[in-house]
Amino acid sequence: MEEYIVSARKYRPLTFDSVVGQRTLTTTLKNAVVSGKLAHAYLFCGPRGVGKTTCARIFAKAINCLTPTADGEACNQCESCQAFNEQRSYNIFELDAASNNSVDNIKSLMEQTRIPPQVGKYKVFIIDEVHMLSTQAFNAFLKTLEEPPAHVIFILATTEKHKILPTIISRCQIYDFDRMSIEDTILHLKEVAQKEGIEVEDEALAVIAEKADGGMRDALSIFDQTASFCQGKITYEKVIEDLNVLDADNYFRIIDLSLENKVSDIMLLLNQIITRGFDGGNLINGLAAHVRNVLMAKDAQTLPLLEVSQQQRERYQQQAQKAPTPFLYKALQLMNQCDQGYRQSSNKRLLVELTLIQVAQITQPDDAESAGRSPKRLKSLFQKLLNSNRQQKVASQGGTAGRQQHKTVSTEPVKTDAPKPKSAVKLDGLGLTFKSLKKQEEVAQTDEPEVENKDEKGLFTQEQLQKEWRAMCDRMPKEMVAMAQRMKNMTPKLLTADSDAPKIEIVVDNNILLDQIKSIQKRVHATLAKSLQNGNIDLQIRLAETGEIKPVLTKRQIFDLIRKENPAIEKLRESFKLQLS
């Protein structure tokens, strides 16, 4: 049986022209070979699997070629090229810095630089994953790198350039390798499939290229995996099944259902996706990328930014014609907020469901009940069902009233006004009741004192402001204890500390609390003016913008933050075996 070789090794490029997706770099290297203007050190950096080590080997082979071609390629005929192809060359050395990162390894390598080459012009040292070298090894390597022998060339390769010492980087010519585009990956996979005699679909190759995330080696590995599963014909359905990738049709369906405000259908589809084992966070990220592609498809200028197959591009264009641009902007904003809070959420599925519900309500017209003072209330998902229930209730009440009129005859005029249905809204879940709100309004309206110390112009700091703010909250009457507790969670900010007109800003995170505080704004103003000894305070109260609202941390979360910032506290806790009660 013939030995099997994976595609990443079998189809590894042997010439500059066969390298995929790095045309600018390969052209520069070929020109250097032709002109003979070679640096003593090169640094190849970029993501994994994009051809850094491969280009280093091709470059080293071309440097030592005795009869290079006119365009800078190795001839593959001379003794140096044949020795390299048969892996018996003594002029090209490869060192894996991940496993040989000590000072002794580098010193041993430096000793070999003293011996001139027997065949060819240069000794080329390729050091892969050079960022793994220790600091001492870097220092031992630095002197030789600065003034190497004339017959020595170093080629360093790394995926993490930021970990290399600046003194090393400054002595190298730096070549940044690009990530593989999806189009280049698909074209290369087609060539490999043709050589292997495998039938492929463009849709399937697009999924493989997207899964590879810019790495050609990863793409070829995934290609081998799917080829084994599909047995001769790689189709879109089989690739989706083998790689356990969420089908793009789900994203198209969610957006179509959202434009039609079909929340129930979206919830059923979400349940099917989660039941199949997909994570809700991955769904939100994938849906956000899908919406971004739809947004790019709306304009012919941004259409080339879609790294998808031609068939998928046409589907994006069709959906872009149906989706309004404001809907796409708002959907991206909601999904971005969901992604930010997904890790901290204790009920991740509920967060995903609420996000999809909000997306489905973007194009839904506002309810009649939401007009007026709080237009940002959630729209009713089952407004038709509520309206029908109310009509049935009114009809039943009307029938009961009619039967009672037949039993008792009265000379009083009949009242035709139908009884108003009671509101189903319960505020006790928010820590409020209509009774408490009424009491707060009565307390607020009883007396609204004016500032009495307008002549005082005392200076105060942010710390004094926060201290007096908490003291004021502690002195608030019992009827306003709930409101006082919410005000304690706020942090008033001293915008300007000028004694003539100091400005204080209070940011409120919702409309209900904003209305409550504005109803007692004069009392708060007078209290702060008296306690801070400044009657010219300018008190400003506004609603928080997106991104300004920060969650209130528990004692456990505060302790975890302190423990991360101060490792000594964690050692102290472990030494005494302390636990947070």
Side-chain angles (χ1 to χ4, degrees):
M1 184 177 179
E2 186 180 355
E3 182 182 359
Y4 173 73
I5 303 177
V6 296
S7 298
R9 291 177 53 201
K10 186 176 181 180
Y11 297 100
R12 190 168 197 166
L14 300 177
T15 62
F16 285 121
D17 290 337
S18 59
V19 176
V20 181
Q22 311 294 344
R23 185 172 300 276
T24 304
L25 296 181
T26 55
T27 302
T28 305
L29 295 176
K30 286 195 297 182
N31 292 339
V33 174
V34 173
S35 63
K37 297 179 179 179
L38 301 174
H40 66 277
Y42 296 86
L43 177 61
F44 293 172
C45 45
R48 68 183 189 278
V50 295
K52 299 184 296 298
T53 307
T54 298
C55 285
R57 292 176 178 175
I58 297 173
F59 188 41
K61 178 181 175 181
I63 287 173
N64 274 322
C65 180
L66 301 178
T67 57
T69 62
D71 60 348
E73 295 279 8
C75 67
N76 283 319
Q77 301 296 328
C78 65
E79 173 60 25
S80 177
C81 291
Q82 290 181 2
F84 178 83
N85 294 336
E86 296 171 6
Q87 297 182 359
R88 57 181 176 84
S89 175
Y90 289 99
N91 294 338
I92 300 174
F93 297 88
E94 286 193 41
L95 178 70
D96 180 20
S99 56
N100 302 279
N101 55 6
S102 65
V103 178
D104 294 335
N105 298 129
I106 294 299
K107 286 182 177 180
S108 176
L109 187 68
M110 295 303 102
E111 290 178 358
Q112 298 181 29
T113 61
R114 301 175 183 177
I115 305 173
Q118 301 300 318
V119 179
K121 302 178 182 178
Y122 300 97
K123 269 197 170 183
V124 183
F125 294 87
I126 301 174
I127 304 179
D128 203 3
E129 302 297 335
V130 69
H131 67 273
M132 297 293 289
L133 290 177
S134 62
T135 304
Q136 293 79 8
F138 269 128
N139 293 331
F141 179 47
L142 185 59
K143 184 61 178 177
T144 305
L145 183 65
E146 184 177 5
E147 297 178 358
H151 59 269
V152 172
I153 292 178
F154 292 103
I155 303 177
L156 315 179
T158 180
T159 55
E160 301 182 43
K161 183 173 67 173
H162 62 278
K163 291 185 178 180
I164 301 177
L165 295 179
T167 51
I168 299 290
I169 295 178
S170 64
R171 289 167 170 81
C172 301
Q173 280 191 11
I174 302 173
Y175 289 80
D176 290 308
F177 284 67
D178 298 327
R179 293 174 68 253
M180 295 293 171
S181 66
I182 291 183
E183 293 180 357
D184 290 339
T185 305
I186 292 175
L187 291 175
H188 187 64
L189 292 179
K190 278 185 178 180
E191 295 178 1
V192 173
Q194 186 177 2
K195 294 176 181 179
E196 293 291 329
I198 300 174
E199 297 182 21
V200 293
E201 294 180 358
D202 290 347
E203 294 282 327
L205 295 182
V207 174
I208 295 175
E210 186 175 354
K211 185 78 171 178
D213 193 24
M216 185 61 72
R217 182 172 60 239
D218 293 354
L220 290 170
S221 299
I222 298 172
F223 176 82
D224 289 343
Q225 176 185 341
T226 54
S228 299
F229 178 75
C230 298
Q231 290 295 321
K233 185 176 181 180
I234 300 178
T235 62
Y236 176 77
E237 291 77 11
K238 290 184 178 179
V239 169
I240 290 293
E241 180 183 357
D242 182 39
L243 301 181
N244 196 30
V245 176
L246 190 58
D247 191 352
D249 289 340
N250 292 291
Y251 300 137
F252 283 102
R253 287 183 59 193
I254 290 176
I255 297 302
D256 288 337
L257 294 172
S258 299
L259 293 173
E260 299 173 4
N261 311 126
K262 294 183 178 180
V263 177
S264 302
D265 294 341
I266 294 177
M267 293 296 101
L268 294 175
L269 179 58
L270 173 63
N271 183 66
Q272 294 176 5
I273 293 172
I274 295 178
T275 303
R276 286 160 52 194
F278 292 101
D279 181 66
N282 293 336
L283 170 65
I284 291 296
N285 291 332
L287 186 60
H290 174 84
V291 174
R292 175 260 181 195
N293 289 343
V294 175
L295 187 61
M296 295 298 105
K298 292 186 75 69
D299 192 344
Q301 293 181 348
T302 57
L303 192 59
L305 297 178
L306 297 182
E307 294 185 344
V308 295
S309 63
Q310 183 61 33
Q311 184 178 356
Q312 287 286 84
R313 186 170 298 180
E314 293 175 358
R315 292 190 64 184
Y316 280 117
Q317 287 180 300
Q318 293 174 2
Q319 192 168 72
Q321 295 176 358
K322 299 186 296 182
T325 302
F327 165 80
L328 299 176
Y329 285 146
K330 185 63 177 178
L332 282 174
Q333 182 183 10
L334 292 172
M335 285 181 284
N336 183 52
Q337 293 174 357
C338 177
D339 180 50
Q340 292 176 353
Y342 187 79
R343 291 184 179 180
Q344 290 76 22
S345 176
S346 58
N347 193 340
K348 293 179 169 48
R349 175 164 180 169
L350 179 60
L351 178 62
V352 174
E353 289 176 343
L354 288 175
T355 301
L356 294 180
I357 289 173
Q358 289 177 303
V359 171
Q361 289 181 330
I362 295 175
T363 58
Q364 180 177 332
D366 292 338
D367 300 336
E369 295 180 359
S370 64
R373 191 165 98 170
S374 48
K376 294 185 178 180
R377 287 172 49 188
L378 275 177
K379 303 166 187 175
S380 175
L381 302 181
F382 310 101
Q383 190 65 29
K384 294 182 179 179
L385 181 61
L386 290 174
N387 291 337
S388 62
N389 291 339
R390 289 175 180 173
Q391 293 175 359
Q392 293 176 2
K393 185 175 180 180
V394 172
S396 62
Q397 289 178 350
T400 304
R403 288 192 297 270
Q404 291 177 352
Q405 287 179 0
H406 283 291
K407 291 182 180 179
T408 58
V409 179
S410 174
T411 58
E412 296 180 358
V414 179
K415 296 182 179 180
T416 58
D417 294 338
K420 297 182 179 179
K422 296 182 179 179
S423 173
V425 179
K426 295 182 179 180
L427 296 179
D428 52 354
L430 302 175
L432 302 171
T433 61
F434 287 114
K435 187 175 181 180
S436 64
L437 286 175
K438 186 175 180 181
K439 284 185 177 181
Q440 291 178 9
E441 291 180 358
E442 291 175 355
V443 172
Q445 295 174 358
T446 51
D447 58 333
E448 294 183 349
E450 297 290 339
V451 177
E452 298 177 354
N453 58 333
K454 293 184 178 181
D455 296 332
E456 289 187 307
K457 296 183 179 180
L459 290 173
F460 56 93
T461 63
Q462 175 69 29
E463 290 76 11
Q464 292 174 331
L465 172 61
Q466 295 180 10
K467 179 181 178 181
E468 296 300 333
W469 175 268
R470 295 187 64 85
M472 177 190 67
C473 295
D474 292 334
R475 294 194 303 268
M476 292 177 69
K478 294 182 179 180
E479 294 82 4
M480 306 176 70
V481 63
M483 183 175 176
Q485 187 61 38
R486 296 187 192 93
M487 291 174 62
K488 281 185 179 180
N489 295 330
M490 302 177 189
T491 302
K493 296 181 180 179
L494 180 60
L495 299 181
T496 57
D498 185 8
S499 60
D500 292 333
K503 291 184 179 181
I504 299 176
E505 183 183 62
I506 301 173
V507 181
V508 185
D509 58 359
N510 60 75
N511 282 316
I512 296 178
L513 190 55
L514 178 65
D515 294 336
Q516 290 179 332
I517 295 181
K518 282 191 173 181
S519 65
I520 60 171
Q521 182 173 357
K522 290 185 177 181
R523 300 180 65 191
V524 173
H525 190 185
T527 303
L528 291 177
K530 185 176 181 181
S531 58
L532 296 173
Q533 298 179 359
N534 193 313
N536 299 313
I537 290 175
D538 182 12
L539 184 63
Q540 301 176 358
I541 304 175
R542 66 175 178 86
L543 187 65
E545 298 178 356
T546 305
E548 287 186 318
I549 303 175
K550 297 183 179 179
V552 180
L553 300 180
T554 62
K555 293 182 179 179
R556 169 66 64 180
Q557 293 172 332
I558 295 174
F559 178 73
D560 290 340
L561 290 175
I562 297 175
R563 183 169 54 179
K564 289 180 180 179
E565 296 175 356
N566 301 280
I569 294 180
E570 176 61 16
K571 292 182 180 179
L572 180 65
R573 186 191 68 80
E574 293 178 353
S575 301
F576 292 92
K577 297 181 180 180
L578 301 176
Q579 292 184 356
L580 186 65
S581 58

